[in-house]
Amino acid sequence: MPAESLGPLHSLPIRRKRAATGLRRTYPYKLNAADIRRDFPILDRRVHGKPLVYLDNGATSQKPRVVIDAIRNFLENGCANIHRGVHLLSAEATQAYDRARATVCQTMGASRPEEFIFVRGTTEAINLVARSWGDLHIQAGDEILLTEMEHHANIVPWQFLARRAGAKIRVLPITPDGALDLDALPALLTDKTRLLACTHVSNVLGTVNPVSEICRMARERGIVTLVDGAQAVPHGPVDLGAVGCDFYVFSGHKMFGPDGIGVLYGRGKLLDRLPPWQVGGDMVERVSFEESTFRPPPDRFEAGTPNISGAIGLGAAFTYHAGLDWAVLRAHEDALVAAAHEALQSIPGLRIQGTVPGKAPVVSFTMGGIHPHDIGTILDSEGVAIRAGNHCAQPLLARLGIPSSARASFACYNTFEEVETLAKAVWKAHRYFG
Amino acid sequence: MDEYLEQLYQEIILDHSKRPRHERELDPCTGRAEGYNPLCGDKVTVFVREEEGKIAEASFLGEGCAISRASASIMTTLLAGLTAEQAHAKAREIYEMLTKAEEPRIDLAENGEIAALAGVRKFPARIKCATLAWHALEDALHGTEAP
């Protein structure tokens, strides 16, 4: 993803005010973070009497005013069901819904909106593929290749599929610094491998995987690929042509959109042949008590009234997101990671999990015998919101040899001042329990 | 230290979490059970040895946060001499103290250090940490009830 990745920023000189926590940086690029922050009303909130420092963006991002307004405007002025009304409001709602799909399609460098199916989120998208594509194509003895850094959402649906079909799950391991071990990949792509499912960006390590290369290797062997983009889409536009996968899935709520809406992209030729997984209204052509026929994608996969306001909110989020200057913001996010690593590494006993260069702004760490939940509570008392736990990646944490970790995950609206507040709060936890 | 955090991390809690009592395997034991919190991956194993219908000794082993370790540690100091029934009643008192909407009326003289856990109720995300060892204890006692 970091196409214009900005390696040199990692080595920018840091001027220290005080030892360890006293980071002060001048922006090495033209960015006024206050401009972006103004778009997100919640960032003015106070928590326990302190300014909110929201570093749980990997769990969900905050929402800009334009997204909140788009949803409210629909509910206040345009609410109607889609596809089935002859009245003006229904026609407008249908248009808005279709426009949201077109926006997503266009922003991701594709040309066929019908390849983009609205779902509840990443989890539902993967379940859809495992049910619809998986039950059609996976047979006894087949292999499904996953990686050691997958989120539970990209493990359990395949486990269920493998059990149904009598297939086998195989796992591509990671290297000690938290990258996929690509040297091990060729041997795992066997003549039995039918599917490779891989995350674009690790929600724990921040590692940005070379998904284009991985998908190319799989495609050369006729293996279908699914890429979990949940942690990738928030950090800049993703060009699906460059990724080269068959399925790409993500949630709206991690990239400034509302919760309860996400996207399954599927290559048209694959989608056209797939059976529906949920059936009912709005996705059928003819229905009798004996038989039903189904509409083409995307409708075939969107049974019932969809999340219309969510789709409209997601469309607004995509428009907002695509309008940002990502060359600058990627540099900013890279610099935030570098600053966070620098500030945290000097704290005794602190260990950062995932140090692959060019990583996304996700910083997971453990600190000696201090439990991540206690770190999380101390940080919360300073207004700093992070995640503590296993991050829905138990196999990865088992591989890392830790039961849980603390995770600070950044968005483009975070600042160096917030990195400093984070580091001070972690020092406080160290003093409290050290 | 600030007042907000002190509600949760009272001196007694910090002391027990840093120097837990009875943190070891009990061998032989008459009952043992594992408590697991899938949200945070915390695990605790509770051991009990019953003699003549009463708990003679209890201990624990596990990984967890300050609250879950302190709760387990304090628990093991309270059980000696109790019947299984009395231990279950004690566990129910703890759950009530942690989850009831009203201020708990916990008798410090009678319950000693365990009253220090009362502050956890103001931190909803941490209540499961405090109850983990107690649930494991109840399972360990049930285990011994089976013939």
Side-chain angles (χ1 to χ4, degrees):
Chain A
M1 180 182 40
E4 308 97 299
S5 193
L6 304 129
L9 285 167
H10 289 285
S11 54
L12 281 171
I14 294 171
R15 199 149 55 83
R16 282 165 187 268
K17 265 195 309 196
R18 286 182 304 279
T21 65
L23 282 174
R24 230 189 103 193
R25 273 167 179 256
T26 47
Y27 292 84
Y29 35 75
K30 199 172 169 327
L31 173 73
N32 185 355
D35 286 346
I36 295 179
R37 294 179 70 81
R38 219 169 291 134
D39 295 337
F40 293 78
I42 204 171
L43 297 179
D44 288 334
R45 233 202 103 156
R46 297 179 80 81
V47 170
H48 304 304
K50 315 232 163 77
L52 168 67
V53 175
Y54 188 77
L55 303 180
D56 197 16
N57 296 284
T60 198
S61 73
Q62 297 302 342
K63 321 304 174 202
R65 173 71 73 197
V66 284
V67 169
I68 299 165
D69 285 349
I71 296 167
R72 194 177 54 209
N73 182 46
F74 172 72
L75 296 176
E76 279 183 2
N77 300 308
C79 184
N81 210 331
I82 56 166
H83 290 161
R84 60 190 80 184
V86 290
H87 56 85
L88 179 68
L89 289 190
S90 178
E92 284 178 356
T94 305
Q95 257 182 13
Y97 186 75
D98 291 344
R99 202 162 45 232
R101 196 192 309 276
T103 302
V104 173
C105 169
Q106 198 184 354
T107 313
M108 301 193 80
S111 57
R112 296 179 58 193
E114 63 274 19
E115 293 181 322
F116 293 80
I117 295 152
F118 284 130
V119 290
R120 273 197 301 146
T122 307
T123 299
E124 187 172 82
I126 297 173
N127 274 277
L128 193 166
V129 176
R131 272 284 169 195
S132 179
W133 179 89
D135 284 349
L136 189 66
H137 290 98
I138 298 292
Q139 292 168 357
D142 287 350
E143 291 176 0
I144 297 166
L145 181 58
L146 309 178
T147 86
E148 213 164 24
M149 64 168 81
E150 297 309 313
H151 186 283
H152 295 164
N154 205 19
I155 298 174
V156 187
W158 306 121
Q159 213 167 57
F160 265 50
L161 169 62
R163 206 163 292 164
R164 287 197 298 276
K168 198 175 164 199
I169 302 284
R170 303 199 68 185
V171 181
L172 177 65
I174 59 167
T175 60
D177 61 343
L180 290 178
D181 184 0
L182 292 186
D183 294 341
L185 183 56
L188 285 164
L189 297 172
T190 71
D191 55 3
K192 291 178 185 160
T193 314
R194 293 285 164 269
L195 174 86
L196 187 156
C198 169
T199 192
H200 195 161
V201 172
S202 163
N203 70 317
V204 177
L205 306 164
T207 309
V208 180
N209 291 321
V211 284
S212 306
E213 190 185 338
I214 292 169
C215 289
R216 186 181 47 76
M217 289 173 72
R219 275 175 78 81
E220 281 168 3
R221 294 162 173 81
I223 297 163
V224 169
T225 51
L226 177 142
V227 175
D228 171 359
Q231 299 289 339
V233 288
H235 304 295
V238 169
D239 181 348
L240 289 174
V243 175
C245 58
D246 295 301
F247 296 107
Y248 194 90
V249 298
F250 62 91
S251 300
H253 69 93
K254 293 186 203 289
M255 61 151 303
F256 309 155
D259 47 286
I261 188 83
V263 169
L264 162 64
Y265 159 82
R267 206 180 280 283
K269 278 184 187 164
L270 279 173
L271 281 187
D272 288 343
R273 293 197 297 266
L274 294 188
W277 80 311
Q278 288 178 346
V279 288
D282 216 29
M283 48 80 69
V284 281
E285 281 168 343
R286 291 162 196 278
V287 177
S288 69
F289 281 109
E290 289 73 34
E291 203 163 15
S292 307
T293 58
F294 305 110
R295 296 168 69 165
D299 297 351
R300 188 188 300 162
F301 302 103
E302 294 180 3
T305 295
N307 182 354
I308 305 166
S309 62
I312 288 168
L314 182 65
F318 259 81
T319 303
Y320 174 80
H321 192 268
L324 298 172
D325 184 348
W326 281 101
V328 166
L329 291 178
R330 277 184 179 147
H332 177 54
E333 290 188 352
D334 284 353
L336 286 174
V337 172
H341 277 220
E342 178 103 20
L344 293 175
Q345 262 160 357
S346 59
I347 299 172
L350 192 142
R351 243 194 105 199
I352 292 171
Q353 314 285 341
T355 51
V356 176
K359 70 185 248 187
V362 176
V363 182
S364 290
F365 59 94
T366 54
M367 191 161 58
I370 308 174
H371 194 278
H373 269 195
D374 294 319
I375 299 172
T377 296
I378 303 283
L379 265 55
D380 179 55
S381 76
E382 293 296 314
V384 181
I386 61 151
R387 172 103 184 252
N390 61 42
H391 316 297
C392 297
Q394 288 178 26
L396 172 60
L397 267 69
R399 162 70 175 79
L400 297 170
I402 51 175
S404 59
S405 76
R407 180 188 73 181
S409 50
F410 298 82
C412 60
Y413 45 63
N414 289 121
T415 65
F416 293 121
E417 289 75 16
E418 291 180 312
V419 172
E420 187 172 344
T421 308
L422 165 72
K424 277 182 184 161
V426 177
W427 270 109
K428 180 180 174 183
H430 174 72
R431 282 195 306 275
Y432 218 109
F433 294 104
Chain B
M1 290 302 172
D2 42 88
E3 272 174 46
Y4 170 73
L5 283 178
E6 270 175 25
Q7 299 175 74
L8 183 66
Y9 298 118
Q10 300 191 19
E11 273 308 316
I12 296 170
I13 304 278
L14 289 178
D15 177 56
H16 273 275
S17 73
K18 287 175 189 168
R19 299 183 304 113
R21 326 292 196 262
H22 310 113
E23 188 185 23
R24 59 169 185 271
E25 192 178 339
L26 210 56
D27 188 23
C29 67
T30 55
R32 61 178 284 170
E34 191 177 89
Y36 177 62
N37 182 349
L39 292 176
C40 56
D42 285 358
K43 270 183 216 155
V44 64
T45 308
V46 171
F47 304 86
V48 288
R49 185 165 57 78
E50 290 174 275
E51 269 172 20
E52 293 164 10
K54 286 184 176 174
I55 297 171
E57 210 178 347
S59 71
F60 81 100
L61 275 179
E63 295 159 347
C65 64
I67 303 304
S68 75
R69 289 171 65 75
S71 180
S73 170
I74 295 171
M75 180 185 82
T76 60
T77 67
L78 294 175
L79 298 174
L82 300 187
T83 63
E85 205 169 296
Q86 287 169 323
H88 285 302
K90 182 72 77 187
R92 280 195 297 275
E93 263 178 51
I94 303 300
Y95 305 149
E96 201 169 302
M97 173 180 87
L98 291 169
T99 55
K100 268 223 164 160
E102 312 93 71
E103 278 295 323
R105 286 173 306 156
I106 185 113
D107 189 342
L108 258 172
E110 195 185 315
N111 291 284
E113 296 183 320
I114 202 70
L117 285 172
V120 177
R121 52 197 288 285
K122 293 188 178 136
F123 297 76
R126 308 301 298 277
I127 290 169
K128 283 213 164 75
C129 312
T131 58
L132 187 64
W134 291 88
H135 285 298
L137 168 71
E138 293 207 89
D139 288 344
L141 291 170
H142 282 307
T144 61
E145 274 169 28

